[in-house]
Amino acid sequence: MIFYNSLSREKELFKPIDKKLITLYTCGPTVYDSPHIGNYRTFLFEDLLKRTLIASGFKVKHAMNITDIDDKTIKASTNEKIDLKEFTKKYINIFFDELKILRILPADYYPRATKYISEMIAIIENLISKNHAYISSSGDVYFSIESFQKYGTLTNLKLDKLIQSKRVLSDEYSSDIIQDFALWKAYKHSDGNVYWQSPWGKGRPGWHIECSAMAMNLLGNSIDIHCGGVDNKFPHHENEIAQSECFSQSKFVNYWLHSNFLLVDGEKMSKSKGNFYTLKDIIKKGMSVEEFRYMIFSAHYRSKINFSLKRINNAKKAISRITNLKHKLIPIAKDKIQTFPNAKKRFHEALKDDLDSPKAFSIFFEWLKDINLMIDNGTISETEAAKSINFINFFDYIFQVIPKNKEIPEKIIHYAKLRETARMKKDWAEADKLRNKIDYYGWIVEDSKEGFRLKKKL
Ligand SMILES: [Zn+2]
């Protein structure tokens, strides 16, 4: 497989640390609000990555963190006068519900930052002992940028922007001024009852140290792949590298993959512009989860994507072409076989080349056109039809765009085929019995000269 590595800014051949088991860390949600569709673009790109790895024979050990303590969660819970733990629980639940709705493969671990405080403290102590960190007069602990020669490699920063003795306490800041960043924040009145005891007095961790602690604890000091959105590159991922490598003395991550922004109708999403959508919002506006997935994957993950509800019809049409083809193939394919049409190999190669989903789509839809022609001409064989169903199933394993209620259960297909045989033997009583059985399970069987068609009862 080939990935574009943000670290080298080049496409590289993927060489995993362990040939069979890939370690994958993806930055998860900060649970102070419902995720917006831009967040889900990133999580869907990670789902595509994971499904492609699995389809290519790898096992994946995946950790995705939940940021349940940082500047934003404290501020939002204080504003709403709700205890931090209660407050974040609500958004953690929404997040897990939506992952399922979006048909995203679950991670092996969903570590919560508040459960890893002692691990964070241990890393910070180690960094202080090696002079990579220091305690300020106000009791905060900062990482010393100048102690790490490689600082700025990921985002190609020029360290001449480094302003000595400048420090930044907040979790998010711009790369205009590179500053020492906070590993530990001393307790302030505005933190309310949110604090932990540490060797430097009571306080709480900075955001960046959270991911370093959870990633290294669950996946080891060196990880194969770390993902996130491009907006995480600086300062978050740059800081993760600095802390982790100074702590472990080994390379933290071999491949950094970042997905680009999602724009809405050509503009950056913002609440004030009224173009800010959560998953619930777009479902309310009539877009299905499958249509959303289709729209996201129609662009390459490294390109900006322009989301528009106006383009919903393209997705609808494409999905119904796939579903219709599958339904037409079912009565033709008599046997189950393990092989695929030739186009599947090219489709898979496109995915293995830095997850080129637009190219994979175009290979698939060109093939689909040819198969439809063969069906119309009556030239498709039973074997070709069976292979074709396998390809559609493979396509759908990767992209998950066929609505579940459009999938015909195996049992129903079996009854329909038995009925076909009964009809050929002119055993009308048996054929009627099977039709009733199919009807009982909520399906309608129709006959045509190409064979039967199954439709879900409304
Ligand atoms: Zn992170």
Side-chain angles (χ1 to χ4, degrees):
M1 286 182 74
I2 293 169
F3 293 127
Y4 179 87
N5 191 348
S6 301
L7 201 58
S8 62
R9 284 170 281 280
E10 274 173 7
K11 273 192 181 182
E12 289 177 27
L13 185 68
F14 177 53
K15 291 186 201 136
I17 299 165
D18 175 326
K19 275 192 188 126
K20 283 263 164 275
L21 186 67
I22 311 299
T23 45
L24 170 68
Y25 187 86
T26 59
C27 285
T30 301
V31 281
Y32 73 109
D33 202 350
S34 294
H36 55 69
I37 54 172
N39 301 129
Y40 281 125
R41 191 226 175 149
T42 304
F43 303 150
L44 283 172
F45 135 68
E46 292 155 357
D47 192 49
L48 173 63
L49 166 67
K50 200 166 150 183
R51 287 174 182 274
T52 303
L53 285 168
I54 294 169
S56 308
F58 293 110
K59 283 208 165 80
V60 182
K61 193 172 172 189
H62 176 198
M64 181 189 228
N65 69 292
I66 308 277
T67 301
D68 59 353
I69 162 81
D70 78 324
D71 295 349
K72 289 183 199 160
T73 43
I74 292 182
K75 197 171 164 216
S77 67
T78 314
N79 283 348
E80 291 198 21
K81 296 188 174 66
I82 305 173
D83 176 68
L84 182 70
K85 205 173 161 191
E86 271 307 302
F87 177 80
T88 54
K89 200 172 131 194
K90 176 180 158 192
Y91 294 108
I92 291 172
N93 290 339
I94 291 176
F95 174 65
F96 283 131
D97 285 347
E98 295 190 339
L99 281 187
K100 238 188 244 158
I101 294 171
L102 274 166
R103 300 162 70 169
I104 289 176
L105 288 177
D108 300 283
Y109 311 99
Y110 290 104
R112 289 166 202 201
T114 50
K115 301 267 190 269
Y116 283 80
I117 303 291
S118 60
E119 286 83 351
M120 294 172 205
I121 290 174
I123 296 172
I124 299 170
E125 279 193 294
N126 177 291
L127 292 174
I128 293 173
S129 75
K130 293 195 280 205
N131 291 322
H132 287 299
Y134 59 92
I135 308 158
S136 76
S137 55
S138 46
D140 308 303
V141 182
Y142 287 93
F143 183 88
S144 160
I145 300 287
E146 51 169 11
S147 78
F148 183 55
Q149 288 290 309
K150 287 200 300 188
Y151 192 84
T153 315
L154 179 68
T155 36
N156 208 11
L157 287 176
K158 300 278 172 285
L159 277 196
D160 53 12
K161 281 193 203 160
L162 171 70
I163 302 213
Q164 293 209 343
S165 76
K166 268 270 185 187
R167 294 172 200 140
V168 55
L169 189 62
S170 80
D171 289 331
E172 288 175 274
Y173 52 96
S174 95
S175 61
D176 293 342
I177 306 171
I178 306 160
Q179 304 164 84
D180 289 353
F181 61 90
L183 298 166
W184 186 263
K185 305 182 184 192
Y187 179 76
K188 286 192 305 285
H189 184 69
S190 57
D191 290 342
N193 62 354
V194 181
Y195 61 84
W196 287 265
Q197 294 299 341
S198 81
W200 324 284
K202 67 182 192 179
R204 62 182 173 96
W207 171 37
H208 315 294
I209 193 70
E210 298 180 2
C211 279
S212 287
M214 292 184 272
M216 288 192 287
N217 267 280
L218 290 165
L219 304 176
N221 289 346
S222 290
I223 296 165
D224 286 308
I225 307 173
H226 192 316
C227 302
V230 272
D231 49 335
N232 279 157
K233 272 172 139 181
F234 188 88
H236 188 49
H237 291 163
E238 201 70 76
N239 293 352
E240 273 188 52
I241 294 173
Q243 301 155 160
S244 308
E245 299 199 352
C246 290
F247 168 76
S248 74
Q249 308 293 323
S250 45
K251 192 174 180 190
F252 177 43
V253 170
N254 287 333
Y255 301 85
W256 284 93
L257 273 61
H258 292 98
S259 63
N260 213 322
F261 291 110
L262 176 143
L263 304 173
V264 173
D265 297 321
E267 290 192 76
K268 211 178 156 199
M269 226 181 346
S270 84
K271 281 186 177 159
S272 58
K273 277 188 208 147
N275 67 349
F276 185 96
Y277 296 128
T278 63
L279 184 64
K280 251 193 214 126
D281 294 333
I282 62 165
I283 290 174
K284 234 186 259 164
K285 288 189 185 290
M287 180 174 255
S288 73
V289 166
E290 289 79 13
E291 287 152 9
F292 179 58
R293 286 188 69 110
Y294 183 89
M295 199 179 276
I296 294 295
F297 294 132
S298 63
H300 191 271
Y301 77 90
R302 282 192 288 118
S303 314
K304 287 195 182 102
I305 188 167
N306 189 18
F307 175 88
S308 174
L309 282 163
K310 289 178 208 133
R311 280 168 47 213
I312 190 171
N313 280 333
N314 299 347
K316 268 194 210 306
K317 259 187 228 154
I319 293 171
S320 73
R321 282 173 76 198
I322 305 169
T323 321
N324 282 338
L325 175 62
K326 190 171 174 187
H327 288 190
K328 278 197 267 180
L329 287 165
I330 284 170
I332 305 171
K334 291 284 187 301
D335 303 306
K336 276 214 165 103
I337 51 173
Q338 300 293 320
T339 50
F340 294 93
N342 294 333
K344 186 251 187 182
K345 190 164 185 272
R346 281 183 290 127
F347 171 85
H348 197 169
E349 290 302 322
L351 292 172
K352 283 161 83 174
D353 181 6
D354 198 31
L355 310 173
D356 196 341
S357 55
K359 189 171 172 191
F361 273 24
S362 89
I363 292 168
F364 181 80
F365 282 104
E366 250 168 59
W367 168 84
L368 179 145
K369 220 163 77 189
D370 293 344
I371 294 295
N372 266 326
L373 266 177
M374 285 168 78
I375 296 175
D376 292 346
N377 299 339
T379 52
I380 189 162
S381 67
E382 293 174 6
T383 318
E384 200 57 38
K387 281 185 186 177
S388 301
I389 291 176
N390 289 348
F391 186 19
I392 295 174
N393 290 343
F394 184 74
F395 175 94
D396 202 47
Y397 168 75
I398 300 285
F399 294 116
Q400 302 282 301
V401 294
I402 298 182
K404 282 271 179 267
N405 63 0
K406 292 271 168 63
E407 284 285 11
I408 309 171
E410 284 294 326
K411 177 169 72 184
I412 303 299
I413 297 170
H414 178 67
Y415 293 150
K417 287 187 175 172
L418 286 178
R419 181 177 164 272
E420 190 88 329
T421 317
R423 276 164 56 84
M424 269 171 352
K425 289 187 201 151
K426 299 196 184 331
D427 184 351
W428 308 117
E430 178 66 12
D432 276 349
K433 231 166 80 187
L434 285 156
R435 175 196 286 279
N436 290 339
K437 222 169 186 173
I438 292 166
D439 180 88
Y440 172 80
Y441 288 107
W443 288 81
I444 298 166
V445 59
E446 285 171 0
D447 301 301
S448 71
K449 58 179 187 315
E450 290 92 30
F452 63 83
R453 276 300 287 275
L454 287 160
K455 280 188 190 154
K456 185 123 182 135
K457 275 204 285 189
L458 292 173

